[in-house]
Amino acid sequence: MQHFPIFVALAGRRVVLSGGGEAALAKLRLLLKTEAHLTVISPDPAPEIDAWEAAGKVQVIRRPMEPGDATCAVLFYAADEDAAEDARTTQLARADGALTNIVDNLGDSQFITPAIVDRDPVTVAIGTEGAAPVLARRIKADLEERLPTGLGTLARIGKAFRKVADALPMGRKRRDFWAEYYFDAGPRALTEGEDKVRETLDALLTRHLDTSEKPGHVAFVGAGPGDPELLTLKARKALDTADVVIHDRLISPEILELARREALMIDAGKEGFGPSMSQGDINALIVEHAQAGAQVVRLKSGDCTVFGRLDEEIDACTDAGVTWHIVPGITSASAAVATIGQSLTRRDRNGSVRFLTGHDMKGFADHDWKTLARPGEVAAIYMGKKASRFIQGRLMMHGADPATPVTVIENASRPDQRVVATRLSQLPATLTEAALTGPALLLYGLAPRAAQTALDTLSEQEFA
């Protein structure tokens, strides 16, 4: 991030602009929405600038800029539409202590003016650091469609009510009050006029001042395989309202960034055959925060109902009288198989698929290897990297074809995703050579689509 976004207080402060043509007019139309004292310096200002001067909206100096003209200015805009003059006026403004912007010259500007969605006093600023102005305009248009025009009115009325609402204790009670106002009661009341909105605020405050404690709650949320775009809308909503997020080691940083900034983030990471927080400690953490009245999100990689020890955590909540609900996520097997262009089941190949774990609490996990060794069987094997030699041995012992395809997907759906295709006979050696460091899922019986097509063609030729 080369430009740090801030909102500068301009009420009653000086902003100077050099220029009187189209570039100056474009900036002034935006600046006139502020409460700044605007000074325009131009030997030949456009008629619109003259009209604004007559209306008392700007002060105009009708000559080229001179030293001292930007004294006490917070911001300065060079909009002379001439590179040499822009450079000259900018140098003068910097000598006077103002932050400077040269229109359409990102490299020589000290600050930039973003695209703005105006729902005064709600303002959304969009910047791309000059990389994609078209994209900024598209985002602006999308936001303008989504944010109702009445949002500014609600915010203005709410701002005047903030001192009264301070009677609510900091934290969830106050957040719940404002959330209900802005997203439910307020918009409905606004359809009947501003007076109705004020009545609604009074009634809301009375109800939220009720001293009875709102109980805590736990949402068991599947975070998906890692790509934040694969997070469900319901999961995103849970993160937006969480007071505490207790997350697994494999949750991607991009997803953790979606939680509220004020939320307490607790890493409850587990690592197979490595250092881990005990399940008992995790259960105790969940219950402790929920009993303290927090809205807790227990964030698990993939789908929380698949190899996530979910039942143990639910039992802990139930035993403690804590309410809970489950938000399923996209499991890693679905993301992995999509990566290689395959499906987990296919007519005339396999009518079922097994989800297996490579190890359990006792070590390497045993399964029905005899059934899985039959031709055409497919399995998604979680946590199978370190158990690969064990898995290979069990399958081949029960007659599995050594040439059975196995595809290993590391960091499925993430930017650093890797796909390693091999055969059962070469599985441990391939994994050693690949030196995978991230979470990996083994797709037994499936090759990437191009390779699978070639294998199917060979099989048909041999049969013929």
Side-chain angles (χ1 to χ4, degrees), residues 43 61 74 80 93 96 134 156 194 211 223 230 249 257 315 317 363 381 387 390 425 438 450 455 459:
I61 299 175
V74 182
D80 300 287
D96 288 337
V134 171
R156 176 170 47 79
E194 293 190 20
T211 56
L230 294 180
R249 177 179 62 90
E257 280 289 324
D315 288 344
C317 289
I381 305 176
F390 172 81
S425 61
L455 287 172
S459 297

Side-chain angles (χ1 to χ4, degrees), residues 51-76:
W52 289 330
E53 181 187 31
K57 296 180 178 180
V58 302
Q59 175 190 3
V60 180
I61 299 175
R62 288 175 171 78
R63 57 165 171 76
M65 185 168 171
E66 297 177 358
D69 283 344
T71 299
C72 296
V74 182
L75 304 176
F76 171 81

Side-chain angles (χ1 to χ4, degrees), residues 186-367:
R188 284 190 286 106
L190 188 60
T191 62
E192 301 181 43
E194 293 190 20
D195 289 341
K196 184 64 176 178
V197 175
R198 293 183 177 89
E199 290 177 18
T200 298
L201 272 171
D202 288 331
L204 269 180
L205 182 60
T206 299
R207 181 156 57 81
H208 281 267
L209 280 171
D210 184 348
T211 56
S212 59
E213 286 295 324
K214 184 174 181 179
H217 182 80
V218 178
F220 295 100
V221 177
D227 182 350
E229 292 188 359
L230 294 180
L231 196 69
T232 66
L233 294 174
K234 199 167 186 178
R236 179 64 189 270
K237 183 178 178 181
L239 286 171
D240 282 341
T241 59
D243 300 308
V244 179
V245 178
I246 302 173
H247 62 89
D248 285 347
R249 177 179 62 90
L250 299 180
I251 305 297
S252 67
E254 294 83 3
I255 288 177
L256 294 179
E257 280 289 324
L258 298 176
R260 287 191 318 108
R261 187 175 301 174
E262 299 86 358
L264 175 62
M265 309 296 289
I266 301 175
D267 184 350
K270 283 180 170 292
E271 183 174 357
F273 303 101
S276 301
M277 179 181 288
S278 74
Q279 187 61 51
D281 288 343
I282 295 173
N283 296 347
L285 267 176
I286 296 170
V287 169
E288 174 190 348
H289 287 286
Q291 287 183 330
Q295 300 297 300
V296 179
V297 164
R298 174 67 174 110
L299 196 61
K300 295 172 176 284
S301 180
D303 180 3
C304 52
T305 68
V306 178
F307 302 127
R309 301 184 72 170
L310 177 63
D311 292 286
E312 298 170 52
E313 297 176 3
I314 287 177
D315 288 344
C317 289
T318 302
D319 292 344
V322 172
T323 59
W324 52 269
H325 73 282
I326 299 171
V327 180
I330 294 176
T331 187
S332 298
S334 297
V337 79
T339 292
I340 64 171
Q342 291 279 25
S343 59
L344 289 168
T345 59
R346 192 178 80 183
R347 208 166 33 164
D348 300 326
R349 183 191 68 197
N350 65 306
S352 64
V353 61
R354 289 171 172 79
F355 285 9
L356 310 178
T357 179
H359 62 81
D360 56 24
M361 294 174 65
K362 299 177 182 178
F364 296 140
D366 236 328
H367 300 286

Side-chain angles (χ1 to χ4, degrees), residues 391-435:
I391 293 168
Q392 177 200 52
R394 285 293 190 271
L395 285 166
M396 293 180 67
M397 181 195 314
H398 287 85
D401 185 347
T404 302
V406 181
T407 306
V408 184
I409 298 91
E410 178 189 35
N411 296 322
S413 85
R414 305 188 188 202
D416 55 351
Q417 170 184 281
R418 291 174 64 192
V419 177
V420 179
T422 186
R423 297 179 182 274
L424 180 60
S425 61
Q426 301 165 342
L427 177 59
T430 300
L431 287 177
T432 299
E433 182 180 350

